[in-house]
Amino acid sequence: MTERGPGGRTDHLDHLQNDVSEVTSLLRQNVEKVIVRGDKIDDLQERSEDLESGSINFKKTSVRLKKKMCWQNCKMNCIIAIVAAVIVIIIVIIIVVEVKPGGSGGGGHHNSTLNKCFNC
């Protein structure tokens, strides 16, 4: 800047032009980075929306499955209870038939002996 001649001005203008070109280049790079960042943010937004809808569907499905499994468990418990009740009823019927007084089962002989003892 100390030189006032035509060559000094040209060097100074060249230097300023280089600075402007450098700043312009940096600004373009920054703008490109901002655009790329915006695209990445948009992608993340889409992914988060997809995850949210997926989680809502998962919750609905899991609640439905829980209800289904609960009913299936209830049905199985009822079936087991009915089978156990039938077995108990069969056992009770067998015991009643075998011990029935005056019956034609194996217990009839013991009953007649007892009757003789009580008549004495």
Side-chain angles (χ1 to χ4, degrees):
M1 249 189 161
T2 54
E3 296 181 31
R4 299 244 175 194
R9 234 179 220 190
T10 306
D11 288 342
H12 183 63
L13 287 176
D14 287 341
H15 181 67
L16 289 176
Q17 185 65 32
N18 287 338
D19 286 346
V20 168
S21 295
E22 192 176 317
V23 169
T24 304
S25 174
L26 286 173
L27 285 175
R28 284 189 181 142
Q29 289 174 358
N30 287 339
V31 168
E32 288 174 6
K33 287 179 183 179
V34 167
I35 291 172
V36 169
R37 183 174 177 261
D39 290 342
K40 287 181 181 179
I41 289 174
D42 290 341
D43 289 343
L44 286 174
Q45 181 68 29
E46 287 178 28
R47 287 183 190 175
S48 68
E49 289 171 358
D50 291 344
L51 283 173
E52 183 180 11
S53 66
S55 68
I56 291 170
N57 289 337
F58 177 78
K59 184 176 181 179
K60 287 179 184 177
T61 303
S62 63
V63 167
R64 200 174 22 219
L65 182 63
K66 181 181 177 184
K67 287 179 182 179
K68 180 181 177 183
M69 289 295 115
C70 184
W71 276 110
Q72 188 175 3
N73 190 25
C74 183
K75 288 177 188 176
M76 190 58 66
N77 287 339
C78 289
I79 290 171
I80 290 172
I82 290 171
V83 168
V86 167
I87 290 173
V88 168
I89 290 171
I90 290 173
I91 290 173
V92 168
I93 290 173
I94 289 173
I95 290 173
V96 167
V97 168
E98 288 294 319
V99 180
K100 183 177 179 184
S104 62
H109 175 71
H110 296 292
N111 286 339
S112 63
T113 307
L114 287 176
N115 284 337
K116 288 179 186 176
C117 288
F118 286 122
N119 286 334
C120 293

